[in-house]
């Protein structure tokens, strides 16, 4: 996660969808998946929608605008979709004895942090981490602070035993937050799980996923993500099944055909790849010289250069540039079906017209999912978030460092809009590893005999925080 100024409204929009793929059987190390939950929007009030839109732009500016500031077996974890595709979160377990917490799953940042029991009123009503209740807690006495678009988090770095998707990492470095901007966390989310690379970590710690991918704990050194869609479902609940994150394997029941991989640009930091073409309503958008894209599960929509975004909406009759808090966004007639296609150097990937709609602000007007990036010079050209990622099975590979896309299977597509209970967090037997520090030299331990599920949730928070990460 990149830590700049504007955190308050964007954090909670991130992970959500329910996936049901069983992990593959392995005689060696294993991989598992965790279900994701999705969060529904609390309101379509115009003022609130406009504020969320502005916050999303502000957060991306601080998240990606100055890279020098951001140090930012198999298993599955079900995800929760929160706020009608606004954000997705999952569950981890931490401490001894282990206690579960809901966290945003963010491929656009690298730090794990939780709010502390000493944080007070500013940390809201979400569950907090109490280090006095764990026998494996160790305070490293290193202060840290992460600035976001409209606020900040601060605290100290510690080590703990962290479990997720049937894997356990001992001495995992993470941030214990004891100072938080007001309205940052929305119940039940207690923090963030960064899923980018260690070079971005503000706490100078190796991310949980990178320890497991580098030390042989996984069958395959990668993780896959599937996200559900509820934005076009009338009466969707605040939290819905959000999909799944598969750790150490790819779930063949959730995609068809082959996975198309694209190598990262330069040394691994963000999950950044080249984008070759972008087509809207059948017309090619000029992206020459502005074609690098970060794949970010922690961002709800899609940010791009002003010239390209203007060209996108020029293909949609009745579109208008937003003003005030909607500056950088565009409105367009809700009755218009918008066809968007991406190409990253191989297959062409279509985005559902339903995902082009960020929100509806009147009986006839909608806000589009593409908005003008305020990142500035030195940042990526594009930040591609959940509006696109709901349309593919995404894979994040450790070596060679790359991002992959595959077409969703009928099984995965059938999960969109399904009225169902959100998955519950579980704590069970795990594959153990030890994080010996920033160098990511964890060691493989005992292997469990069965899958381990962790809940992921997607939500739309009134503060729109998830849009930021």
């Amino acid at each position: 996660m990149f830590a700049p100024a504007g955190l308050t409204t964007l954090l909670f929009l991130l992970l959500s969808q329910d996936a049901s793929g069983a992990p593959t059987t392995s005689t060696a190390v294993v991989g598992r998946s965790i279900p994701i939950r999705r969060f529904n929007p609390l309101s379509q009030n115009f003022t609130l929608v406009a504020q969320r839109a502005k916050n999303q732009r502000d957060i991306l500016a601080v998240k990606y605008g100055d890279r020098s500031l951001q140090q930012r077996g198999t298993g599955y974890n079900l995800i929760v979709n929160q706020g009608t595709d606004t954000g997705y979160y999952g569950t981890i377990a931490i401490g001894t004895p282990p206690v579960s917490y809901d966290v945003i799953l963010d491929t656009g940042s690298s730090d794990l942090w939780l709010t502390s029991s000493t944080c007070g009123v500013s940390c809201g009503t979400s569950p907090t981490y109490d280090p006095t209740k764990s026998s494996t807690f160790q305070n490293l006495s290193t202060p840290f602070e992460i600035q976001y678009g409209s606020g900040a988090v601060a605290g100290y770095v510690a080590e703990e035993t962290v479990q997720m998707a049937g894997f356990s990492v001992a001495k995992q470095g993470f941030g214990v937050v004891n100072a938080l901007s007001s309205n940052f966390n929305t119940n039940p989310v207690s923090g963030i799980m960064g899923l980018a690379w260690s070079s971005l970590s503000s706490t100078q710690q190796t991310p949980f996923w990178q320890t497991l991918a580098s030390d042989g704990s996984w069958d395959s050194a990668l993780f896959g993500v599937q996200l559900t869609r509820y934005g076009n479902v009338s009466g969707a609940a605040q939290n819905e099944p959000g999909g799944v994150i598969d750790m150490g394997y790819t779930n063949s029941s959730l995609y068809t055909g082959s996975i198309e991989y694209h190598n990262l640009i330069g040394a691994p930091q963000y999950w950044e790849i080249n984008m070759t073409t972008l087509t809207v309503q059948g017309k090619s958008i000029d992206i020459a010289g502005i074609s690098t894209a970060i794949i970010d599960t922690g961002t709800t929509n899609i940010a791009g250069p002003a010239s390209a975004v203007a060209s996108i909406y020029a293909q949609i009759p009745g579109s208008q540039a937003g003003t005030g808090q909607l500056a950088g966004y565009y409105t367009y007639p809700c009755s218009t079906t918008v066809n968007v296609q991406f190409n990253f150097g191989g297959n062409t990937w279509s985005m559902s017209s339903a995902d082009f709609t960020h929100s509806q602000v009147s009986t006839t007007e909608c806000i589009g999912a593409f908005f003008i990036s305020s990142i500035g010079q030195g940042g990526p050209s594009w930040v591609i978030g959940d509006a696109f990622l709901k349309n593919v099975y995404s894979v994040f590979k450790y070596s060679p460092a790359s991002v992959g896309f595959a077409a969703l299977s009928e099984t995965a597509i059938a999960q969109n809009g399904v009225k169902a209970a959100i998955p519950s967090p579980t704590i069970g037997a795990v594959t153990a590893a030890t994080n010996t520090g920033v160098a990511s030299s964890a060691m493989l331990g005992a292997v469990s005999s069965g899958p381990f599920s962790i809940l992921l949730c997607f939500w739309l928070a009134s503060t729109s925080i998830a849009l930021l990460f």
Side-chain angles (χ1 to χ4, degrees):
M1 154 201 308
F2 185 76
L7 176 67
T8 305
T9 42
L10 300 177
L11 174 63
F12 301 112
L13 302 174
L14 179 59
L15 298 155
S16 168
Q17 172 179 11
D18 211 357
S20 59
T24 57
T25 300
S26 172
T27 58
V29 291
V30 293
R32 300 184 180 85
S33 305
I34 55 177
I36 300 174
R37 287 180 293 177
R38 166 190 175 277
F39 181 91
N40 250 356
L42 303 173
S43 167
Q44 289 301 318
N45 173 276
F46 176 81
T47 301
L48 179 58
V49 168
Q51 181 62 54
R52 288 173 179 157
K54 180 179 184 298
N55 287 339
Q56 180 170 199
R57 291 190 75 226
D58 291 346
I59 285 174
L60 286 181
V62 290
K63 185 174 184 179
Y64 296 111
D66 186 349
R67 301 190 185 197
S68 64
L69 295 179
Q70 176 163 340
Q71 311 303 335
R72 301 238 180 229
T74 63
Y76 67 93
N77 190 315
L78 297 181
I79 300 172
V80 177
N81 182 329
Q82 192 172 23
T84 319
D85 306 350
T86 302
Y88 300 81
Y89 68 82
T91 301
I92 63 172
I94 189 167
T96 306
V99 177
S100 62
Y101 297 93
D102 291 321
V103 292
I104 293 170
L105 303 181
D106 181 19
T107 61
S109 69
S110 299
D111 291 295
L112 168 62
W113 60 259
L114 292 174
T115 51
S116 167
S117 56
T118 62
C119 186
V121 177
S122 67
C123 284
T125 59
S126 298
T128 57
Y129 167 74
D130 185 351
T132 67
K133 301 289 181 63
S134 173
S135 63
T136 47
F137 166 79
Q138 183 176 352
N139 189 345
L140 298 184
S141 299
T142 303
F144 84 97
E145 180 176 358
I146 301 177
Q147 292 291 327
Y148 295 94
S150 62
V153 298
Y156 59 90
V157 181
E159 289 182 344
E160 256 291 16
T161 298
V162 177
Q163 299 180 30
M164 183 180 189
F167 296 96
S168 176
V169 174
K171 298 183 178 181
Q172 172 64 53
F174 74 112
V176 181
V177 172
N178 51 31
L180 185 68
S181 296
S182 62
N183 299 322
F184 183 90
N185 272 5
T186 292
N187 193 34
V189 173
S190 300
I192 294 172
M193 168 71 85
L195 295 170
W197 297 78
S198 59
S199 56
L200 296 178
S201 174
S202 296
T203 58
Q204 305 280 308
Q205 302 298 309
T206 301
F208 179 88
W209 80 270
Q210 196 171 342
T211 294
L212 295 169
S214 64
D215 74 353
S217 292
W218 288 348
D219 275 4
S220 299
L222 52 75
F223 62 93
V225 177
Q226 172 232 357
L227 303 177
T228 54
R229 176 186 304 113
Y230 282 79
N232 58 347
V233 175
S234 176
Q238 180 179 9
N239 296 313
E240 297 283 3
V244 68
I245 178 170
D246 299 314
M247 290 190 158
Y249 78 117
T250 55
N251 191 332
S252 60
S253 72
L254 299 178
Y255 67 91
T256 62
S258 61
I259 300 171
E260 177 184 280
Y261 286 100
H262 304 278
N263 291 336
L264 300 192
I265 298 171
Q269 295 182 339
Y270 299 103
W271 296 99
E272 186 173 10
I273 60 177
N274 283 311
M275 184 164 70
T276 306
T277 62
L278 174 64
T279 302
V280 178
Q281 304 298 63
K283 181 173 181 179
S284 179
I285 304 301
D286 184 7
I287 60 172
I290 50 173
S291 59
T292 64
I294 288 176
I295 310 303
D296 186 355
T297 60
T299 292
T300 304
N301 293 315
I302 300 171
S307 59
V309 172
S311 181
I312 288 170
Y313 289 99
Q315 315 312 314
I316 307 172
S319 298
Q320 292 186 351
T323 59
Q325 290 187 314
L326 287 181
Y329 287 81
Y330 283 73
T331 60
Y332 73 101
C334 297
S335 59
T336 303
T337 298
V338 182
N339 299 307
V340 179
Q341 293 182 316
F342 296 83
N343 190 296
F344 301 96
N347 294 323
T348 295
W349 305 98
S350 296
M351 174 175 145
S352 170
S353 181
D355 296 323
F356 189 86
T357 302
H358 169 49
S359 54
Q360 187 167 342
V361 294
S362 72
T363 56
T364 59
E365 278 190 306
C366 285
I367 299 175
F370 284 78
F371 65 97
I372 297 172
S373 168
S374 55
I375 293 172
Q377 189 173 6
S381 302
W382 298 85
V383 177
I384 297 181
D386 303 329
F388 169 73
L389 296 176
K390 285 177 284 182
N391 296 271
V392 293
Y393 183 80
S394 305
V395 182
F396 301 84
K397 193 172 185 179
Y398 176 72
S399 182
S402 53
V403 175
F405 301 116
L408 293 173
S409 68
E410 290 300 320
T411 297
I413 293 171
Q415 295 175 20
N416 292 327
V418 172
K419 299 288 187 177
I422 60 176
S424 300
T426 59
I427 300 173
V430 297
T431 297
T434 299
N435 190 331
T436 59
V438 180
S440 286
S441 57
M443 299 177 292
L444 179 65
V447 179
S448 64
S449 59
F452 177 74
S453 296
I454 296 182
L455 173 66
L456 292 183
C457 209
F458 166 72
W459 73 97
L460 171 62
S462 60
T463 53
S464 308
I465 293 180
L467 294 174
L468 162 63
F469 296 95

